[in-house]
């Protein structure tokens, strides 16, 4: 396995994995795959990582800012997506742990994730990586006309932002 940065060049592979997860209807409120320019603007310019095996992207993860206010500069929203063929092999855990490590080296002290309540695999993955459930948001938004509940999870660093 090899960790590589997400770039404009490998972005089509990211979109392929994103599309696989879109099809499940339990991964995101979005219904369309992003274009590079929008995705690039919406994510921090660090902690954009993917995991490859035999030159094939198996998963990707990235961080988005939660606010433009300076007091939240160390808080970021996690996106993590695993290809269908790679599910259940520990790749998501490996990638999320690497994202955590890189986030801390970039002064991110809190990571948060909003996960559809029915996406138990993602909730378990986040728990394995030290996230805890901090809330439940009932009918926070609609996905294809259906109200969805989300579980809010967060991970507070023990090494960054502690003083």
């Amino acid at each position: 396995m090899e960790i590589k940065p997400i770039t404009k060049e490998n972005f089509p592979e990211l979109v392929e994995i994103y599309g696989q997860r879109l099809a499940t209807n339990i991964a995101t409120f979005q219904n369309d795959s992003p274009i590079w320019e929008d995705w690039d603007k919406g994510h921090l310019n660090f902690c954009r990582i993917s995991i490859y095996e035999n030159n094939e992207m198996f998963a990707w993860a990235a961080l988005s800012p939660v606010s433009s206010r300076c007091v939240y500069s160390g808080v970021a929203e996690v996106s993590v997506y695993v290809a269908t063929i790679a599910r259940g092999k520990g790749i998501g855990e490996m990638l999320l742990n690497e994202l955590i490590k890189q986030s801390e080296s970039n002064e991110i002290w809190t990571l948060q994730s909003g996960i559809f309540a029915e996406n138990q695999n993602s909730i378990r993955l986040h728990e394995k990586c030290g996230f805890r459930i901090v809330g439940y948001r009932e009918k926070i938004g609609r996905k294809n006309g259906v109200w969805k509940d989300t579980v809010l999870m967060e991970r507070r660093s023990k090494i960054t932002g502690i003083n």
Side-chain angles (χ1 to χ4, degrees):
M1 297 287 172
E2 182 182 5
I3 301 289
K4 294 182 181 180
I6 295 168
T7 64
K8 188 174 184 177
E9 288 69 38
N10 66 5
F11 185 72
E13 294 172 89
L14 175 151
V15 170
E16 171 63 30
I17 294 169
Y18 189 78
Q20 292 172 13
R21 306 307 352 132
L22 277 176
T24 68
N25 286 317
I26 64 167
T28 178
F29 281 107
Q30 299 301 117
N31 282 320
D32 300 311
S33 293
I35 61 171
W36 168 254
E37 292 75 15
D38 293 339
W39 190 91
D40 185 44
K41 279 189 251 178
H43 291 83
L44 297 174
N45 62 6
F46 53 87
C47 291
R48 299 170 168 207
I49 59 175
S50 57
I51 194 162
Y52 279 76
E53 185 175 66
N54 298 323
N55 292 319
E56 182 179 359
M57 186 187 288
F58 276 1
W60 65 269
L63 297 180
S64 303
V66 298
S67 175
S68 61
R69 295 178 60 198
C70 65
V71 297
Y72 296 109
S73 64
V75 183
E77 177 87 19
V78 173
S79 294
V80 59
Y81 291 87
V82 179
T84 303
I85 62 169
R87 297 182 68 79
K89 297 178 180 179
I91 290 170
E93 185 176 356
M94 187 184 315
L95 188 64
L96 188 51
N97 281 325
E98 177 63 24
L99 186 74
I100 290 165
K101 181 177 147 191
Q102 288 189 23
S103 74
E104 290 176 330
S105 69
N106 282 280
E107 301 298 318
I108 301 295
W109 57 79
T110 298
L111 295 174
Q112 68 181 41
S113 245
I115 303 168
F116 286 156
E118 65 265 39
N119 194 344
Q120 290 297 306
N121 287 336
S122 186
I123 291 169
R124 281 192 297 277
L125 167 63
H126 282 75
E127 287 175 333
K128 281 183 190 176
C129 295
F131 285 72
R132 65 186 178 98
I133 295 173
V134 294
Y136 182 81
R137 302 179 84 187
E138 184 179 358
K139 296 180 180 174
I140 192 68
R142 289 186 193 182
K143 172 74 175 181
N144 299 326
V146 177
W147 285 104
K148 293 286 192 171
D149 302 333
T150 59
V151 174
L152 181 60
M153 301 188 77
E154 77 173 17
R155 182 188 183 281
R156 182 69 167 88
S157 175
K158 292 176 178 42
I159 62 172
T160 300
I162 58 172
N163 52 6

